[in-house]
């Protein structure tokens, strides 16, 4: 049932993140009627995304009000915070109060490391999909997965689709439709290369090669975290 | 034919813009091999987008190197710069040197005000589509329109589709496909409300009402500019 009171949303930004994991959801959810959207980081200091875009938080973690919606983006930089207690504690605390936790891309791994995905159906970027089970999640290969209060979107641009689902849940389908029309979201990708199932094999091989190192690093981290969380992976 | 030399891209940011008009193309085009992407504004000072996101330029206009690609985003804030000589002169000068000028959303109106759209096929946000002819453009109702070196994308999120077309032109189809796969751009909007042709009538009416004032202001401005450019509209 759509909420009727004022909504407070907050998205975490961090160094090395993938900016559109955040700016996609911001585009949709900052348009919700009767809502406030905060951009959050440990300190009130700008960070750079993996491709150099400067992102500036409005509030430091310790200044953030209680959140109805917590948005956790991903990107290669997520790897550096998988065992960062300040990051994980913030996610854990805010998630406990929130009515919706929305991860985008490998933001799901951060939520997993914070212990939020145990027994929860979830998705993430296709290169990290096999890692979900290390956090006790039930991997579901979909663009957007909703399980209770945990909403997860697949890689990067899936945050737009996920955000429209979150908008609908918070304020009803018609508000989500109005936002979709305002941002003219009637996508027409010029190629059919947006998923590993549809991309040409040579393209898939290139992207796998380019992400091999980060994928290996993420696996090693996921194994350590699984041990800490006492999750056994077959 | 794809370029083989180093590419310099630059996107203008400005107060009141719509951030994803810029962050969408940034996501795609900052990933081009052998390229540099600059974020540009009159001064090296942060601006806020229409929904409050802080965007920070890397360089001031006067510091910008020659650009191969000039990206001109839009948003309601564009209206304040339609007769701003500093903005228009920058667009005009950089467009003259560039091999590609890429407008997103109502960035097309800024390009029009700079005199770049005379006799050029172009598109823009659906609420502003009827204004294109005031700049001498040939309106073409498509997601992305390419006419010579001028590439224009429709509203807001169309910048992603346009950027993939620009990427393909600059570095070839396979590079664009790799980027599409890396950002998992296989969109699945949860509603069919992304264009005025497909949105429910009540949704269309709501968005038209919400944008009535800016649309009227844009019309008045477009009429003044048409007079200045000596373009007569039937």
């Amino acid at each position: 049932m759509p909420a009727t009171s004022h909504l407070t949303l907050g998205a975490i930004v961090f160094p090395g993140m993938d900016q559109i994991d955040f700016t996609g959801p911001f585009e949709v959810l900052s348009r919700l009627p009767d809502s406030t959207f905060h951009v959050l980081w440990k300190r009130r200091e700008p960070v750079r995304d993996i491709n150099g875009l400067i992102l500036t938080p409005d509030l430091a973690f310790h200044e953030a009000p209680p959140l109805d919606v917590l948005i956790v983006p991903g990107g290669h930089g997520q790897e550096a915070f998988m065992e960062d207690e300040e990051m994980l504690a913030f996610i854990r605390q805010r998630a406990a109060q929130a009515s919706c936790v929305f991860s985008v891309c490998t933001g799901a791994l951060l939520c997993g490391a914070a212990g939020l995905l145990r027994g929860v159906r979830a998705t993430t970027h296709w290169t990290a999909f096999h890692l979900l089970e290390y956090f006790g999640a039930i991997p579901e290969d979909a663009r957007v997965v909703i399980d209770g209060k945990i909403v997860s979107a697949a890689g990067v641009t899936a945050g737009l689709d996920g955000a429209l689902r979150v908008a609908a849940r918070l304020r009803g389908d018609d508000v989500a439709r109005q936002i979709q029309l305002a941002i003219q979201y009637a996508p027409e990708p010029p190629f059919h290369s947006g998923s590993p199932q549809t991309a040409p094999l040579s393209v898939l091989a290139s992207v796998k090669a380019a992400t091999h190192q980060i994928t290996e690093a993420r696996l090693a981290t996921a194994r350590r975290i699984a041990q800490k969380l006492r999750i056994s992976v077959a």
Side-chain angles (χ1 to χ4, degrees), chain A:
Chain A
M1 211 174 70
T4 52
S5 54
H6 187 85
L7 288 166
T8 305
L9 299 91
I12 297 172
V13 294
F14 55 86
M17 65 179 286
D18 199 326
Q19 59 89 15
I20 212 169
D21 290 13
F22 152 64
T23 55
F26 181 90
E27 186 67 27
V28 171
L29 297 172
S30 69
R31 292 169 183 261
L32 286 177
D34 195 11
S35 70
T36 308
F37 195 118
H38 296 292
V39 182
L40 308 168
W41 175 227
K42 290 181 179 184
R43 294 164 296 281
R44 281 208 212 182
E45 276 171 18
V47 299
R48 281 197 189 255
D49 106 312
I50 190 161
N51 291 308
L53 188 71
I54 299 171
L55 297 166
T56 305
D58 289 304
L59 295 178
F61 281 175
H62 73 271
E63 300 171 310
L67 302 173
D68 299 298
V69 181
L70 172 67
I71 298 153
V72 184
H76 292 195
Q78 136 280 330
E79 179 61 14
F81 297 98
M82 291 290 284
E83 293 162 294
D84 180 302
E85 261 315 307
E86 188 179 357
M87 176 72 110
L88 300 182
F90 183 74
I91 293 175
R92 221 177 273 127
Q93 287 163 5
R94 297 314 169 123
Q97 301 167 323
S99 63
C100 176
V101 179
F102 173 26
S103 71
V104 181
C105 195
T106 51
L109 306 186
L110 286 170
C111 291
L116 302 183
L117 297 189
R118 214 185 269 268
V120 172
R121 290 181 296 108
T123 191
T124 186
H125 193 279
W126 62 270
T127 57
F129 190 74
H130 61 294
L131 304 176
L132 286 169
E133 57 180 338
Y134 289 86
F135 307 100
I138 303 158
E140 186 172 315
D141 188 10
R143 186 85 177 150
V144 179
V145 175
I146 301 181
D147 188 353
K149 75 180 192 180
I150 310 282
V151 179
S152 55
V156 196
T157 54
L160 277 167
D161 300 315
L164 285 167
R165 301 280 294 274
V166 171
R169 183 165 149 157
L170 294 169
R171 291 295 190 218
D173 288 0
D174 269 1
V175 167
R177 287 191 183 101
Q178 286 164 21
I179 293 171
Q180 187 186 356
L181 180 57
I183 65 172
Q184 205 164 346
Y185 186 47
E188 290 181 22
F191 304 103
H192 299 285
S193 193
S195 82
Q197 289 80 28
T198 62
L201 286 181
S202 62
V203 168
L204 182 59
S206 292
V207 177
K208 276 190 175 170
T211 52
H212 177 72
Q213 205 177 345
I214 180 77
T215 302
E216 287 300 298
R218 281 172 172 156
L219 174 60
T221 306
R223 283 187 172 136
R224 274 200 308 280
I225 292 171
Q227 229 167 9
K228 205 172 64 179
L229 299 176
R230 300 179 188 226
I231 288 162
S232 64
V233 175

